[in-house]
Every structure is written in C-alpha cells, then in structure tokens.
Amino acid sequence: MVIVTTIRREVLTLPTAELGPDNPLPPLRPLDEVHRIDDRDREDLPRDMARQVGYEPLRSLLPTRVRDGYDRERTPRRIDALVIENDRLRATVLPALGGRIASLVHKPTDRELLYRNPVLQPANFALNGAWFSGGIEWNIGATGHTTLSCAPLHAARVPAPDGGEMLRLWEWERLRDLPFQVDLWLPDGSDFLHVGVRVRNPHERPAPVYWWSNIAVPEERRVLAPADEAWHFGYERRLRRVPVPSYDGVDRTYPLNSPFAADYFYELPEARRRWIAALDGEGHGLVQTSTDVLRGRKLFVWGTGSGGRRWQEWLTEPGTGGYCEIQAGLARTQLEHVRLDPESEVSWLEAYGPLDAPAEGEWPTVVGDAEARLEAVLPRADVDAAYAAWKPYADTEPGEILATGSGWGALEVLRTDWKLPGTPFEESMLGEDQQPWVHLLRSGVLPEPRRVRPPGETLVAPHWRDMLETAHATPLTEYHLGIAQWHAGDRAQAVRSWERALELAPSLWPLLRCLAVADQEAGNHERAADRYHEAFADLCHERRDAGERWTAATAALGREAVEALLRVRRTADARAVWDMLHPGTRERGRFLLLQAELLLAEGRRDDAWAVFDDGFEVADLREGAESIGRLWARLTDEPLPARYDFRMRPQTP
C-alpha cells in the first residue's frame, strides 16, 4: 500500500492583532467565570451530574497569567501552520495558537467544513483572557476556553497506525498540572480526520479533568444529534432540561432561531452512538463522532439579539458570516469536571469529516437518516477499531520536532523524573521563565533578579509551596510564597509573608498590590485604596524605561488603583494616578471607559458623555460583561448604542 498522507509546513498571512504582553500582576481574585449555575437548579440534576458539577470547580487562575495586552489594530502577519493532507482532506493546524485546526477542506467537493475566520482577533473569552474564534480548538483544564487558546504547543511527526505519519501536539496544562496529547492522522483514502486524545494524571492524588473539543461551523445550519432532550444554559445562569428540537414553540436546532446566546447540552441515550452534525439547507456539512468515552455533545448559539450580533462582528470582519459551535466533551455539560484517578489516564478517538444527509424534516426521521448515513461512510465499529489501533502508538516517541511549546512540563519532569512515553518534556525545553525555579529545585534558593524589573512567573502547587517555605526567606521568596499560600486558601499566612517581605524588599509595589487585593477581599476598601495609591507611586518611581514589561505593569496596576480609589470616592487621587499613566495607555479603549467613569465621578457628566460620543473599543471586554451598559445608564436614559451593546441575556427590570 502506498501511503499518500503528508505533513508539511506552511505560512498563513492573516489580518492579525498582536497579543502583546501578559499582565504581570498575579491573578489573586476569585475566578470571574460566567458558567456557574444557580444553586436552586442543583437539586433537580441527575445524581452523577450533580456530583460532577460540585467536583473541584476552578476557583483561581493561578499559576497562569492573564493575557490582556492585545488590541484591535489588525495588520497582515505571517502565522506558522502545519498542514496534514491526503487525497481527500486537508487540515491546517496552528501549533503556536493552542494547536487550533483553522481549516478542514474536503478536497473532492472543495468544501470548507469549518467556520474559517478570515482574521485573527483576540478577545476576552479564554479563562485567562485572549482567545479567538473559528476552527477546532482543544479545551482542557476547567470550565471555559483553555488558558492555552493563544499559547504554543509542542508538535512533531510520529508514526501512524497505518504506516503513515501522524501530527502529535502535546503540552502541560498548568491549572490542573496534567500533561495531554492530541494525535492527528488521515488514513489513506479516508474522508475522516482521526484524532487520538490522551490526558494523563501522573500524580499520587486524583485530579479533576475537563475536556471539550469545540468546532466552529457557519450558523446557517441545522444541528443534529441523537437526543430528544437537552440541558439549556443561558447567561441568566439557569440550567434546565428542555425538549429537542423545539421548546416554547420554536425549533432550536436552527441556530438563528434563538434570540439570545445559549448552550444546549444534548442528553444522549447511554447506548447510542456519540455524534453531532451541522448541515446546510442542501444537506451538506460536517459530522463529528467519537468513541463512547467522549460522552457529551453541545450546541452554542450567539442568538439574533443585538448583543449576540455585536459579538459576532467583534470577533471577525464586519460583513462576514456568523458562526455557531458544536462541541464534544467528557461530561454531559461544561459545568462538570470528571475525576481522574492517581497514576492513570483517559483517552479516546474522534473523527471529523463531511456528511451528506437531509437536514429538513421531522426530527426522528432526520436524525435517523443522518445516523444511517454516518454508519455507511464511517461505521461505529471502525471508529472503535481505529482507537484500538492507535493506542499502542500513543507511546511512540516523536520524530522530527515541528514546533515548540512551553518549558513548564520539562520543569515538572525534572522535579519528579516522571516517565511519560510519547510526550517528552526534556530539559532542553526549559526557558527563561523556568530558570529561577530550576535554581530553587537544585539549590533550595530562589535567586534574586540581576536587575530591577517586574516579578516573573510564580508557581503555587503544594510541592513548590513546600520548597518556598524551606528556602532562604528573601523578599522575592516571601512574595512567591505568599501567592502560593493565598492560592491554597491560607490568606492570613499569605498576608504575613507579604508583610515580612516589605521590611527588606527593594521593590515594594508588587507586595503592596498583593496586600491591597487581600484588603479588598476582606472588605477593607479604604486601606486597599491607600495601598494601591502607595504601590502605584512606588512603581512610577522604580520603573526604568517605557519598555513592554514596565508599560504592562504600569497599565495593570494603574487600572486597579484607579478602580480602587473610585470605589471609596477618592477622585483626586484617582485623577493623579490617571495622569501618571503612559499617554499610549490612556488611549486604549479599556482606559477610555475608565476615564469616562472617572469624569462622571468628578461631576463632569458632559465630558464623560463626550468619551462615548467620540467612540472607543474595549479590546479585552469580558464575555458576559455589562460594564459599558451600566455606565451608559448612569449617563442617560437613551437606548444603548449598537456599537456598545454586548449584552448576552434578556434584559430584566
């Protein structure tokens, strides 16, 4: 047999907004996550679902950093891609952007099976900020879009089960401290991209696992899945069981029939094949199927309301088509996390390809016909057989390295000497961010930086916290130890660590900011404002230049300081902080919104109105955020202009 599958490098040129620097301030506040359900809904859930909804929900973004340095100025930029192709399909993968499959083309019909975004515009949808829409993304970690949405993964060639080549992607997920891999291959002559996924727990303790494969498709589709019921979740944070396809007299399997953004988690019968499809009016589209471990299936719609349409425009070029998402996950819903036993793993196989079947008609008939057509082109038994054939290859060591991810996995393997066949985390992968922690591991001392600069990345897992507790108590060690203690829930001890460090620290502002957050969380907003004011003055005295790191630190701390000072009505101090921000920072949309709030607090209503009238765009506006609308309502009774309307739920009095 002649193997015709190829893997090659390619460069895409897309209008792209730069990611910019990460926020250097550790995310100490509780997670701002919209996907939490009302407690009154928990009593009506199936027992296993209720248990998993309550199992280890994520409460902190630590040790990751918030990615909020991007803007909305797009210019053509070159993006490295890897293309895996046979005579039937061509998949384009972006290894530096979470391993996203940006395009999946069926060559015989020249059809793009996915929603392919013509631009790369970060927006605040990932757990840690930057995310972009389109293609197929791999979500691991916790409820929400992965922190790796805009991060590089390791990639390499690996032998495939049929004698050809696979493209392996792998990385270390830091929120849950788990390694994972995604193997992509195209069997010779196949119309289906095969994807083998494995998540491992090398620890001696159980770990919560979350996985959802998220597939963007054009929204002018009908979405089919073998279910007669679904769990509906909207931005009102209510979870309720609804019939499929219709409820309230409307067929919700057509994405454009829903007025507001919503999730529909399909209740698939236990013995039924796992699949979901999105077909156009002529019956053409994409189908995704898997082995039974990947239990859940979901439809996400933006809705036809003004807020949903605004988000659609926000994520791409105006005038381009909208999209919806069909998804597949380990649990019924994305509100759940699954227990992974110590020193164990979970794995499955997914398949993506074209499907031709009638989309119009009565639900049982349409679903039955689509399932029969799927069985004809890719039998369920063949998916199970492909999984069995892939499993022995999951441990195969990679060949040619095609892309490089982070060094965090290499640091953990250096610490533990774990053996993780198939996903090497070698010492050569260690980078600048890991070097202080390598020094701590080898010498028991966390080194002080050679020059004054914002603190580097921190680690919070119990083993690193233990090392920090026994290390020489330098100010930098106490700073990182306090963050680890805060993450562990020992807030009083964290405050003591930060206060001890203040006595000798050459740089006060990082510690003062941590103490200010602690004051806010304790309800002491006056003292928090004092500390923020002092911290920002110290930062401005200490900063050495207008380089990226210092500018990012000044912007992040300045924003928090102004907000804290406004909260206690210290408008003069807030204005003083504002005036010390870099001019370029003050022109960013997030800060123009903050300026309008400051002007209103100063009693300058007309000037605040003028900020809106001149126009601004908050690049990192959070999914579900309503801050613009609330400020507008304080200024006027007029309707919120469409350009500022990002509301994702029905308006209540």
PDB file of all heavy atoms in Angstrom, residues 620-645:
ATOM      1  N   ASP A 620     -10.397  44.133  25.492  1.00  0.00           N
ATOM      2  CA  ASP A 620     -10.476  42.969  26.381  1.00  0.00           C
ATOM      3  C   ASP A 620     -11.790  42.927  27.158  1.00  0.00           C
ATOM      4  O   ASP A 620     -11.829  42.438  28.293  1.00  0.00           O
ATOM      5  CB  ASP A 620      -9.284  42.949  27.344  1.00  0.00           C
ATOM      6  CG  ASP A 620      -9.257  44.156  28.273  1.00  0.00           C
ATOM      7  OD1 ASP A 620      -9.698  45.238  27.855  1.00  0.00           O
ATOM      8  OD2 ASP A 620      -8.783  44.010  29.414  1.00  0.00           O
ATOM      9  N   LEU A 621     -12.861  43.392  26.545  1.00  0.00           N
ATOM     10  CA  LEU A 621     -14.179  43.289  27.178  1.00  0.00           C
ATOM     11  C   LEU A 621     -14.494  41.821  27.445  1.00  0.00           C
ATOM     12  O   LEU A 621     -14.394  40.983  26.561  1.00  0.00           O
ATOM     13  CB  LEU A 621     -15.242  43.898  26.280  1.00  0.00           C
ATOM     14  CG  LEU A 621     -16.632  44.067  26.897  1.00  0.00           C
ATOM     15  CD1 LEU A 621     -16.603  45.133  27.989  1.00  0.00           C
ATOM     16  CD2 LEU A 621     -17.644  44.420  25.829  1.00  0.00           C
ATOM     17  N   ARG A 622     -14.882  41.511  28.672  1.00  0.00           N
ATOM     18  CA  ARG A 622     -15.086  40.131  29.085  1.00  0.00           C
ATOM     19  C   ARG A 622     -16.412  39.591  28.586  1.00  0.00           C
ATOM     20  O   ARG A 622     -17.432  40.311  28.555  1.00  0.00           O
ATOM     21  CB  ARG A 622     -15.049  40.017  30.610  1.00  0.00           C
ATOM     22  CG  ARG A 622     -15.182  38.589  31.165  1.00  0.00           C
ATOM     23  CD  ARG A 622     -14.000  37.757  30.784  1.00  0.00           C
ATOM     24  NE  ARG A 622     -14.048  36.412  31.385  1.00  0.00           N
ATOM     25  CZ  ARG A 622     -13.305  35.385  30.969  1.00  0.00           C
ATOM     26  NH1 ARG A 622     -12.474  35.548  29.965  1.00  0.00           N
ATOM     27  NH2 ARG A 622     -13.395  34.216  31.550  1.00  0.00           N
ATOM     28  N   GLU A 623     -16.408  38.319  28.191  1.00  0.00           N
ATOM     29  CA  GLU A 623     -17.645  37.632  27.817  1.00  0.00           C
ATOM     30  C   GLU A 623     -18.682  37.805  28.925  1.00  0.00           C
ATOM     31  O   GLU A 623     -18.419  37.504  30.093  1.00  0.00           O
ATOM     32  CB  GLU A 623     -17.349  36.144  27.618  1.00  0.00           C
ATOM     33  CG  GLU A 623     -18.582  35.290  27.406  1.00  0.00           C
ATOM     34  CD  GLU A 623     -18.273  33.805  27.457  1.00  0.00           C
ATOM     35  OE1 GLU A 623     -17.149  33.431  27.831  1.00  0.00           O
ATOM     36  OE2 GLU A 623     -19.180  33.028  27.120  1.00  0.00           O
ATOM     37  N   GLY A 624     -19.858  38.282  28.549  1.00  0.00           N
ATOM     38  CA  GLY A 624     -20.925  38.463  29.519  1.00  0.00           C
ATOM     39  C   GLY A 624     -20.846  39.755  30.315  1.00  0.00           C
ATOM     40  O   GLY A 624     -21.748  40.058  31.102  1.00  0.00           O
ATOM     41  N   ALA A 625     -19.777  40.564  30.108  1.00  0.00           N
ATOM     42  CA  ALA A 625     -19.628  41.803  30.872  1.00  0.00           C
ATOM     43  C   ALA A 625     -20.675  42.824  30.449  1.00  0.00           C
ATOM     44  O   ALA A 625     -21.033  42.916  29.277  1.00  0.00           O
ATOM     45  CB  ALA A 625     -18.230  42.375  30.677  1.00  0.00           C
ATOM     46  N   GLU A 626     -21.152  43.595  31.421  1.00  0.00           N
ATOM     47  CA  GLU A 626     -22.162  44.604  31.144  1.00  0.00           C
ATOM     48  C   GLU A 626     -21.730  45.975  31.659  1.00  0.00           C
ATOM     49  O   GLU A 626     -22.550  46.858  31.897  1.00  0.00           O
ATOM     50  CB  GLU A 626     -23.495  44.177  31.764  1.00  0.00           C
ATOM     51  CG  GLU A 626     -24.010  42.864  31.185  1.00  0.00           C
ATOM     52  CD  GLU A 626     -25.307  42.397  31.821  1.00  0.00           C
ATOM     53  OE1 GLU A 626     -25.763  43.060  32.775  1.00  0.00           O
ATOM     54  OE2 GLU A 626     -25.864  41.384  31.370  1.00  0.00           O
ATOM     55  N   SER A 627     -20.421  46.155  31.837  1.00  0.00           N
ATOM     56  CA  SER A 627     -19.910  47.391  32.434  1.00  0.00           C
ATOM     57  C   SER A 627     -20.184  48.599  31.563  1.00  0.00           C
ATOM     58  O   SER A 627     -20.493  49.686  32.079  1.00  0.00           O
ATOM     59  CB  SER A 627     -18.401  47.260  32.693  1.00  0.00           C
ATOM     60  OG  SER A 627     -17.722  46.850  31.513  1.00  0.00           O
ATOM     61  N   ILE A 628     -20.094  48.461  30.246  1.00  0.00           N
ATOM     62  CA  ILE A 628     -20.349  49.607  29.375  1.00  0.00           C
ATOM     63  C   ILE A 628     -21.810  50.039  29.501  1.00  0.00           C
ATOM     64  O   ILE A 628     -22.117  51.227  29.644  1.00  0.00           O
ATOM     65  CB  ILE A 628     -20.010  49.267  27.914  1.00  0.00           C
ATOM     66  CG1 ILE A 628     -18.505  48.993  27.774  1.00  0.00           C
ATOM     67  CG2 ILE A 628     -20.421  50.401  26.993  1.00  0.00           C
ATOM     68  CD1 ILE A 628     -18.090  48.595  26.362  1.00  0.00           C
ATOM     69  N   GLY A 629     -22.716  49.071  29.445  1.00  0.00           N
ATOM     70  CA  GLY A 629     -24.135  49.390  29.546  1.00  0.00           C
ATOM     71  C   GLY A 629     -24.502  50.016  30.880  1.00  0.00           C
ATOM     72  O   GLY A 629     -25.328  50.936  30.943  1.00  0.00           O
ATOM     73  N   ARG A 630     -23.883  49.547  31.964  1.00  0.00           N
ATOM     74  CA  ARG A 630     -24.195  50.119  33.287  1.00  0.00           C
ATOM     75  C   ARG A 630     -23.743  51.579  33.380  1.00  0.00           C
ATOM     76  O   ARG A 630     -24.449  52.433  33.922  1.00  0.00           O
ATOM     77  CB  ARG A 630     -23.550  49.278  34.378  1.00  0.00           C
ATOM     78  CG  ARG A 630     -24.257  47.950  34.640  1.00  0.00           C
ATOM     79  CD  ARG A 630     -23.833  47.354  35.967  1.00  0.00           C
ATOM     80  NE  ARG A 630     -22.421  47.013  35.966  1.00  0.00           N
ATOM     81  CZ  ARG A 630     -21.937  45.811  35.636  1.00  0.00           C
ATOM     82  NH1 ARG A 630     -22.771  44.838  35.249  1.00  0.00           N
ATOM     83  NH2 ARG A 630     -20.648  45.568  35.679  1.00  0.00           N
ATOM     84  N   LEU A 631     -22.549  51.868  32.849  1.00  0.00           N
ATOM     85  CA  LEU A 631     -22.072  53.245  32.887  1.00  0.00           C
ATOM     86  C   LEU A 631     -22.939  54.138  31.995  1.00  0.00           C
ATOM     87  O   LEU A 631     -23.269  55.275  32.361  1.00  0.00           O
ATOM     88  CB  LEU A 631     -20.603  53.309  32.451  1.00  0.00           C
ATOM     89  CG  LEU A 631     -19.949  54.692  32.530  1.00  0.00           C
ATOM     90  CD1 LEU A 631     -20.045  55.267  33.942  1.00  0.00           C
ATOM     91  CD2 LEU A 631     -18.489  54.626  32.081  1.00  0.00           C
ATOM     92  N   TRP A 632     -23.314  53.620  30.835  1.00  0.00           N
ATOM     93  CA  TRP A 632     -24.190  54.381  29.935  1.00  0.00           C
ATOM     94  C   TRP A 632     -25.512  54.734  30.645  1.00  0.00           C
ATOM     95  O   TRP A 632     -26.000  55.862  30.528  1.00  0.00           O
ATOM     96  CB  TRP A 632     -24.455  53.562  28.676  1.00  0.00           C
ATOM     97  CG  TRP A 632     -25.424  54.195  27.719  1.00  0.00           C
ATOM     98  CD1 TRP A 632     -26.773  53.965  27.645  1.00  0.00           C
ATOM     99  CD2 TRP A 632     -25.128  55.164  26.720  1.00  0.00           C
ATOM    100  NE1 TRP A 632     -27.340  54.723  26.655  1.00  0.00           N
ATOM    101  CE2 TRP A 632     -26.352  55.472  26.064  1.00  0.00           C
ATOM    102  CE3 TRP A 632     -23.961  55.805  26.303  1.00  0.00           C
ATOM    103  CZ2 TRP A 632     -26.429  56.389  25.017  1.00  0.00           C
ATOM    104  CZ3 TRP A 632     -24.037  56.719  25.261  1.00  0.00           C
ATOM    105  CH2 TRP A 632     -25.254  57.001  24.626  1.00  0.00           C
ATOM    106  N   ALA A 633     -26.059  53.780  31.379  1.00  0.00           N
ATOM    107  CA  ALA A 633     -27.335  54.013  32.068  1.00  0.00           C
ATOM    108  C   ALA A 633     -27.203  55.083  33.148  1.00  0.00           C
ATOM    109  O   ALA A 633     -28.194  55.745  33.492  1.00  0.00           O
ATOM    110  CB  ALA A 633     -27.836  52.708  32.669  1.00  0.00           C
ATOM    111  N   ARG A 634     -26.006  55.269  33.693  1.00  0.00           N
ATOM    112  CA  ARG A 634     -25.785  56.330  34.683  1.00  0.00           C
ATOM    113  C   ARG A 634     -25.713  57.700  34.015  1.00  0.00           C
ATOM    114  O   ARG A 634     -25.921  58.728  34.663  1.00  0.00           O
ATOM    115  CB  ARG A 634     -24.500  56.065  35.467  1.00  0.00           C
ATOM    116  CG  ARG A 634     -24.587  54.864  36.403  1.00  0.00           C
ATOM    117  CD  ARG A 634     -23.214  54.505  36.956  1.00  0.00           C
ATOM    118  NE  ARG A 634     -22.611  55.620  37.678  1.00  0.00           N
ATOM    119  CZ  ARG A 634     -21.322  55.671  38.025  1.00  0.00           C
ATOM    120  NH1 ARG A 634     -20.512  54.660  37.676  1.00  0.00           N
ATOM    121  NH2 ARG A 634     -20.847  56.710  38.684  1.00  0.00           N
ATOM    122  N   LEU A 635     -25.405  57.701  32.711  1.00  0.00           N
ATOM    123  CA  LEU A 635     -25.268  58.957  31.985  1.00  0.00           C
ATOM    124  C   LEU A 635     -26.574  59.435  31.363  1.00  0.00           C
ATOM    125  O   LEU A 635     -26.820  60.640  31.264  1.00  0.00           O
ATOM    126  CB  LEU A 635     -24.219  58.813  30.873  1.00  0.00           C
ATOM    127  CG  LEU A 635     -22.750  58.791  31.292  1.00  0.00           C
ATOM    128  CD1 LEU A 635     -21.873  58.383  30.118  1.00  0.00           C
ATOM    129  CD2 LEU A 635     -22.332  60.157  31.828  1.00  0.00           C
ATOM    130  N   THR A 636     -27.410  58.476  30.926  1.00  0.00           N
ATOM    131  CA  THR A 636     -28.579  58.858  30.134  1.00  0.00           C
ATOM    132  C   THR A 636     -29.635  57.768  30.160  1.00  0.00           C
ATOM    133  O   THR A 636     -29.333  56.599  30.438  1.00  0.00           O
ATOM    134  CB  THR A 636     -28.153  59.114  28.669  1.00  0.00           C
ATOM    135  OG1 THR A 636     -29.296  59.442  27.886  1.00  0.00           O
ATOM    136  CG2 THR A 636     -27.479  57.895  28.074  1.00  0.00           C
ATOM    137  N   ASP A 637     -30.856  58.155  29.818  1.00  0.00           N
ATOM    138  CA  ASP A 637     -31.946  57.192  29.663  1.00  0.00           C
ATOM    139  C   ASP A 637     -32.091  56.740  28.217  1.00  0.00           C
ATOM    140  O   ASP A 637     -32.965  55.929  27.900  1.00  0.00           O
ATOM    141  CB  ASP A 637     -33.270  57.820  30.117  1.00  0.00           C
ATOM    142  CG  ASP A 637     -33.299  58.064  31.622  1.00  0.00           C
ATOM    143  OD1 ASP A 637     -32.636  57.296  32.346  1.00  0.00           O
ATOM    144  OD2 ASP A 637     -33.964  59.027  32.050  1.00  0.00           O
ATOM    145  N   GLU A 638     -31.281  57.268  27.317  1.00  0.00           N
ATOM    146  CA  GLU A 638     -31.363  56.885  25.911  1.00  0.00           C
ATOM    147  C   GLU A 638     -30.946  55.432  25.726  1.00  0.00           C
ATOM    148  O   GLU A 638     -30.168  54.883  26.514  1.00  0.00           O
ATOM    149  CB  GLU A 638     -30.456  57.793  25.073  1.00  0.00           C
ATOM    150  CG  GLU A 638     -30.914  59.242  25.030  1.00  0.00           C
ATOM    151  CD  GLU A 638     -30.055  60.073  24.084  1.00  0.00           C
ATOM    152  OE1 GLU A 638     -29.344  59.457  23.242  1.00  0.00           O
ATOM    153  OE2 GLU A 638     -30.097  61.306  24.185  1.00  0.00           O
ATOM    154  N   PRO A 639     -31.445  54.762  24.672  1.00  0.00           N
ATOM    155  CA  PRO A 639     -31.059  53.373  24.415  1.00  0.00           C
ATOM    156  C   PRO A 639     -29.546  53.246  24.200  1.00  0.00           C
ATOM    157  O   PRO A 639     -28.903  54.155  23.661  1.00  0.00           O
ATOM    158  CB  PRO A 639     -31.833  53.012  23.136  1.00  0.00           C
ATOM    159  CG  PRO A 639     -32.940  54.009  23.073  1.00  0.00           C
ATOM    160  CD  PRO A 639     -32.419  55.270  23.698  1.00  0.00           C
ATOM    161  N   LEU A 640     -28.997  52.133  24.627  1.00  0.00           N
ATOM    162  CA  LEU A 640     -27.573  51.874  24.448  1.00  0.00           C
ATOM    163  C   LEU A 640     -27.264  51.743  22.953  1.00  0.00           C
ATOM    164  O   LEU A 640     -27.889  50.938  22.266  1.00  0.00           O
ATOM    165  CB  LEU A 640     -27.185  50.576  25.174  1.00  0.00           C
ATOM    166  CG  LEU A 640     -25.713  50.176  25.157  1.00  0.00           C
ATOM    167  CD1 LEU A 640     -24.870  51.195  25.929  1.00  0.00           C
ATOM    168  CD2 LEU A 640     -25.547  48.783  25.766  1.00  0.00           C
ATOM    169  N   PRO A 641     -26.323  52.534  22.425  1.00  0.00           N
ATOM    170  CA  PRO A 641     -25.991  52.426  21.005  1.00  0.00           C
ATOM    171  C   PRO A 641     -25.502  51.027  20.645  1.00  0.00           C
ATOM    172  O   PRO A 641     -24.865  50.337  21.454  1.00  0.00           O
ATOM    173  CB  PRO A 641     -24.877  53.465  20.819  1.00  0.00           C
ATOM    174  CG  PRO A 641     -25.066  54.435  21.945  1.00  0.00           C
ATOM    175  CD  PRO A 641     -25.582  53.621  23.090  1.00  0.00           C
ATOM    176  N   ALA A 642     -25.775  50.606  19.427  1.00  0.00           N
ATOM    177  CA  ALA A 642     -25.435  49.246  18.995  1.00  0.00           C
ATOM    178  C   ALA A 642     -23.952  48.959  19.119  1.00  0.00           C
ATOM    179  O   ALA A 642     -23.559  47.833  19.445  1.00  0.00           O
ATOM    180  CB  ALA A 642     -25.895  49.045  17.545  1.00  0.00           C
ATOM    181  N   ARG A 643     -23.110  49.956  18.898  1.00  0.00           N
ATOM    182  CA  ARG A 643     -21.668  49.723  18.947  1.00  0.00           C
ATOM    183  C   ARG A 643     -21.190  49.341  20.344  1.00  0.00           C
ATOM    184  O   ARG A 643     -20.124  48.764  20.517  1.00  0.00           O
ATOM    185  CB  ARG A 643     -20.909  50.964  18.459  1.00  0.00           C
ATOM    186  CG  ARG A 643     -21.029  52.174  19.368  1.00  0.00           C
ATOM    187  CD  ARG A 643     -20.300  53.391  18.814  1.00  0.00           C
ATOM    188  NE  ARG A 643     -18.880  53.141  18.667  1.00  0.00           N
ATOM    189  CZ  ARG A 643     -18.019  54.053  18.223  1.00  0.00           C
ATOM    190  NH1 ARG A 643     -18.462  55.250  17.851  1.00  0.00           N
ATOM    191  NH2 ARG A 643     -16.736  53.776  18.130  1.00  0.00           N
ATOM    192  N   TYR A 644     -21.989  49.694  21.387  1.00  0.00           N
ATOM    193  CA  TYR A 644     -21.615  49.384  22.765  1.00  0.00           C
ATOM    194  C   TYR A 644     -22.463  48.257  23.366  1.00  0.00           C
ATOM    195  O   TYR A 644     -22.342  47.966  24.555  1.00  0.00           O
ATOM    196  CB  TYR A 644     -21.772  50.626  23.642  1.00  0.00           C
ATOM    197  CG  TYR A 644     -20.901  51.791  23.232  1.00  0.00           C
ATOM    198  CD1 TYR A 644     -21.458  53.041  22.961  1.00  0.00           C
ATOM    199  CD2 TYR A 644     -19.518  51.650  23.125  1.00  0.00           C
ATOM    200  CE1 TYR A 644     -20.664  54.121  22.595  1.00  0.00           C
ATOM    201  CE2 TYR A 644     -18.708  52.721  22.754  1.00  0.00           C
ATOM    202  CZ  TYR A 644     -19.287  53.949  22.486  1.00  0.00           C
ATOM    203  OH  TYR A 644     -18.493  55.013  22.123  1.00  0.00           O
ATOM    204  N   ASP A 645     -23.290  47.640  22.549  1.00  0.00           N
ATOM    205  CA  ASP A 645     -24.235  46.646  23.078  1.00  0.00           C
ATOM    206  C   ASP A 645     -23.655  45.242  22.948  1.00  0.00           C
ATOM    207  O   ASP A 645     -23.657  44.648  21.879  1.00  0.00           O
ATOM    208  CB  ASP A 645     -25.565  46.737  22.329  1.00  0.00           C
ATOM    209  CG  ASP A 645     -26.637  45.855  22.958  1.00  0.00           C
ATOM    210  OD1 ASP A 645     -26.329  45.154  23.946  1.00  0.00           O
ATOM    211  OD2 ASP A 645     -27.779  45.877  22.472  1.00  0.00           O
TER     212      ASP A 645
END
